[in-house]
Amino acid sequence: MTPTMYADEVVPCAPRAGTLYDVLELILDRGMVIDVFIRVSLVGIEILKIDARIVVASVDTYLRFAEACNRLDLERDSGSTTVPELLGGGVAKSVGKRKVRRAAESVGDTVRSAVGAGGSDDDEDEERPKKRRAPARDGASRRRRAEA
Amino acid sequence: MTENGVYVYAIIPAGAALPAGAAGVGSPPAPLRLAGDGRVTAVVSEAPPQLRARRRDLMAHQDVLLRLSDGGPVLPMRFGVVAPDEASVTAQLAGAETEHLATLRHLGRGVELNVKALPAQDSLAAVVAEEKNVRRLREEVRRRPGYEANVRLGEAVATALSRRAAEAGNTLLHRLTPLARAVAPGPEVHGCAFNVSFLVDRDESDAFRATVRKFADAHRDRAEIRVAGPLPCYSFVASSGLRPTAARV
């Protein structure tokens, strides 16, 4: 019963409030806290923030950026695409851009997965903050590196 | 009745009505009620057992506050504030009534707009074209390919993407500050180069958003700019009831 109800309640707010992900830190870290009241423990969310930091600063992220950079290079050297063309949108179809997007989105994905803000799979997401997705990505990257 | 305590959503002026159709945290959603008998009132519900920062409850909290702020000034509580019982809520309101009223008056018709700048995901070509350091490291990789060289290149790209987003954010900050009644830096968000909230009168929030969108369109190769709001004034409730954020978490 609940997923339907969420959709009803959330849709009117979405255009102005952005996704939950966009304001998550305000809901969790801003707003009044009254000394005499207690505040719920947010252990799951805090673990998640640490995960995100590891992903951002990781060597895997750097290697993904470098790979994208090198691919961009190859495309340009092939003479089929110039940098201005890439800037003009030609890059939108290129492998390089997709790689960068994947690397750049890793943080957002991690945080989004915590609150399930991106998806329609509402209720199952509740337990997802506990899952640590970074190791899976690391594994995939290691495999890519091994292949290279 | 209150075995899990009383969940507090917001403090509003006495006499303001509960928004129709709003429901609280928990499953099934707890019905909202008003607590307090003075000139300010708290919007509360029963706290659910084992309250955690889960999607359903975060959205319920946010939804209650959005609906309340549509009706007038609101002091939004942070997610997850629970009082032991209703009597302690009433006592707190009575003790801090003057400050709460002053903050409500100060906020008036103000709403919060939050602006973030994230590294532009599609701007790798621009980064290569415009960042000397990235170009140099890329040429090094070409001359002597290897793991270390690739790490250095990737790190330079990541750094450049973040710096370009932060620079765009700071330029935008200078344009938006004159349009706002107050400005508050947001909490650090990993992967986000710039995060600032603005207190803007509700009537002016559309114009504010339009300014942000125009800037965002013109700076797509430097930052992905996002604006959220009008929101309840999470970042502008600096009454004495607010503990400094640095001391928390």
Side-chain angles (χ1 to χ4, degrees):
Chain A
M1 69 159 204
T2 37
T4 315
M5 187 198 66
Y6 296 153
D8 287 343
E9 287 191 354
V10 170
V11 165
C13 304
R16 57 178 195 157
T19 64
L20 185 61
Y21 163 71
D22 276 334
V23 296
L24 184 61
E25 86 283 2
L26 299 177
I27 301 172
L28 292 172
D29 292 346
R30 291 293 186 264
M32 282 180 75
V33 177
I34 290 175
D35 295 355
V36 294
F37 301 160
I38 53 165
R39 189 161 178 252
V40 66
S41 159
L42 298 172
V43 172
I45 291 288
E46 279 156 9
I47 286 171
L48 188 100
K49 282 183 176 175
I50 294 162
D51 276 354
R53 191 195 320 242
I54 290 166
V55 171
V56 163
S58 76
V59 167
D60 285 326
T61 310
Y62 296 157
L63 290 175
R64 264 175 264 151
F65 276 133
E67 189 185 343
C69 215
N70 292 334
R71 295 230 182 200
L72 190 69
D73 213 21
L74 287 173
E75 283 166 14
R76 196 177 62 140
D77 289 351
S78 76
S80 61
T81 317
T82 64
V83 168
E85 282 169 5
L86 290 172
L87 285 167
V91 74
K93 297 286 190 301
S94 79
V95 177
K97 175 244 171 190
R98 260 181 278 129
K99 296 282 183 188
V100 168
R101 178 180 287 279
R102 195 186 304 155
E105 276 187 347
S106 56
V107 181
D109 288 347
T110 312
V111 176
R112 261 190 288 273
S113 77
V115 294
S120 53
D121 48 349
D122 280 65
D123 229 2
E124 297 90 311
D125 285 352
E126 282 184 6
E127 300 307 319
R128 280 169 69 183
K130 286 183 170 174
K131 289 188 189 168
R132 302 170 68 101
R133 292 177 56 195
R137 245 195 307 272
D138 289 346
S141 302
R142 263 195 295 279
R143 247 174 282 127
R144 271 201 300 279
R145 220 182 308 150
E147 288 163 13
Chain B
M1 172 97 186
T2 59
E3 53 186 303
N4 300 304
V6 173
Y7 188 99
V8 188
Y9 299 85
I11 297 169
I12 57 176
L18 281 175
V25 294
S27 180
L32 301 178
R33 61 177 195 269
L34 299 171
D37 48 15
R39 289 185 292 161
V40 290
T41 304
V43 178
V44 303
S45 74
E46 292 303 302
Q50 293 168 336
L51 179 64
R52 283 194 297 117
R54 65 184 81 191
R55 171 181 166 79
R56 178 190 68 214
D57 290 337
L58 285 163
M59 292 185 101
H61 180 95
Q62 167 81 339
D63 182 57
V64 168
L65 290 176
L66 281 169
R67 288 168 187 254
L68 283 169
S69 65
D70 280 346
V74 170
L75 305 185
M77 304 301 293
R78 198 172 294 184
F79 177 85
V81 170
V82 176
D85 51 40
E86 192 158 324
S88 62
V89 176
T90 306
Q92 201 286 333
L93 292 181
E97 188 179 83
T98 314
E99 293 147 52
H100 292 329
L101 278 173
T103 311
L104 284 166
R105 213 171 296 128
H106 167 72
L107 293 179
R109 291 186 49 75
V111 291
E112 176 166 345
L113 285 123
N114 177 261
V115 179
K116 290 183 171 66
L118 296 93
Q121 297 168 1
D122 299 344
S123 70
L124 184 64
V127 169
V128 171
E130 294 168 25
E131 300 289 331
K132 214 185 279 182
N133 192 38
V134 170
R135 261 206 317 278
R136 182 178 61 76
L137 290 168
R138 189 197 53 169
E139 276 151 25
E140 260 175 42
V141 168
R142 188 189 297 167
R143 276 199 307 275
R144 300 182 59 179
Y147 178 80
E148 292 292 328
N150 270 313
V151 170
R152 275 199 300 275
L153 171 60
E155 187 176 12
V157 171
T159 306
L161 285 171
S162 293
R163 180 178 46 72
R164 290 160 65 90
E167 284 168 358
N170 285 324
T171 307
L172 181 57
L173 174 64
H174 288 296
R175 298 224 187 138
L176 294 179
T177 299
L179 307 180
R181 280 168 48 194
V183 180
E188 187 186 337
V189 175
H190 296 296
C192 180
F194 174 90
N195 180 18
V196 176
S197 282
F198 299 83
L199 180 63
V200 177
D201 277 340
R202 185 176 283 278
D203 300 338
E204 287 160 25
S205 61
D206 284 347
F208 185 95
R209 287 182 64 103
T211 304
V212 176
R213 266 198 303 274
K214 203 171 149 199
F215 183 92
D217 288 343
H219 294 78
R220 279 197 191 290
D221 63 338
R222 305 193 72 84
E224 179 192 341
I225 308 272
R226 295 181 180 206
V227 56
L231 299 164
C233 299
Y234 290 108
S235 304
F236 301 99
V237 283
S239 76
S240 65
L242 179 70
R243 268 200 233 165
T245 316
R248 291 208 39 86
V249 179

